[in-house]
Amino acid sequence: DWPWCESIVTYTNGKLPHALLLSGQWLPDPAMVEQGLRSLRWLLEQQTDEHDRLTLIGNQGWMERGGNRAKFDQQPIDAMALVEACAEAYRCTKDPFWMHKLRWCLDWFLGSNITESVVYDSSTGGCRDGLYANGANLNQGAESTLAWLISLLTINRLQQEMETGIYEQDKMIEKTAGART
């Protein structure tokens, strides 16, 4: 009933399944890859609202096992971590579900979120610092802007990989395997 590795789900949660997916491929350890996919799927389910929008776990109380989850102060870095994890899940499986979820997570920045607030600011190229009950925080800090840019870069890179059929992770795994022999 609680497949997470800790009794609380806090900050940049997508990094854990992402790390499992990367490590599981490089070792190789299929059970580790499967755990990464299960953890990521569960994490996305926990952060899906009744309108099928990504509603990140907020840092105003987090989400404890058996307790309630905080809906606000949602952070762009959390959306970025999910984008990266979904991209790696797609690379592992080539399952279109993960590409759909990657785009779904990216849409959080563009207004598909609990307050329907656009977090990415197209006039400045920056990104708002968080999502509160009354909308997006108007500050545009470096961490948030980088989270947006890394998310955008991640999907663009994955689309390029799909078009060419050459996946960066495959090249890295081949290099690692060659170095071991």
Side-chain angles (χ1 to χ4, degrees), residues 20-21 24 29-40:
L20 286 167
L21 292 168
D29 185 338
M32 190 178 286
V33 170
E34 187 54 40
Q35 181 59 46
L37 293 170
R38 269 195 314 272
S39 298
L40 181 55

Side-chain angles (χ1 to χ4, degrees), residues 57-130:
I57 295 168
N59 69 17
Q60 298 300 313
W62 309 117
M63 183 173 107
E64 292 187 47
R65 184 178 187 162
N68 295 323
R69 67 183 284 302
K71 290 187 179 180
F72 301 102
D73 179 14
Q74 297 179 29
Q75 298 294 304
I77 196 167
D78 286 313
M80 178 206 76
L82 289 171
V83 165
E84 290 182 310
C86 288
E88 196 55 41
Y90 178 82
R91 287 182 183 105
C92 287
T93 65
K94 305 300 186 278
D95 184 342
F97 170 81
W98 295 112
M99 183 53 107
H100 167 74
K101 286 300 183 181
L102 185 159
R103 289 185 178 118
W104 180 79
C105 292
L106 189 70
D107 286 347
W108 179 88
F109 290 97
L110 303 174
S112 183
N113 54 54
I114 195 168
T115 65
E116 298 180 349
S117 300
V118 177
V119 182
Y120 161 65
D121 185 341
S122 62
S123 66
T124 66
C127 182
R128 310 248 183 245
D129 279 348

Side-chain angles (χ1 to χ4, degrees), residues 8 17 22 49 52 54 57 66 86 90 105 115 150 158 161 173 179:
I8 188 167
L22 288 170
D49 73 9
D52 196 37
L54 177 61
I57 295 168
C86 288
Y90 178 82
C105 292
T115 65
I150 290 168
L158 183 58
E161 291 172 0
I173 292 167

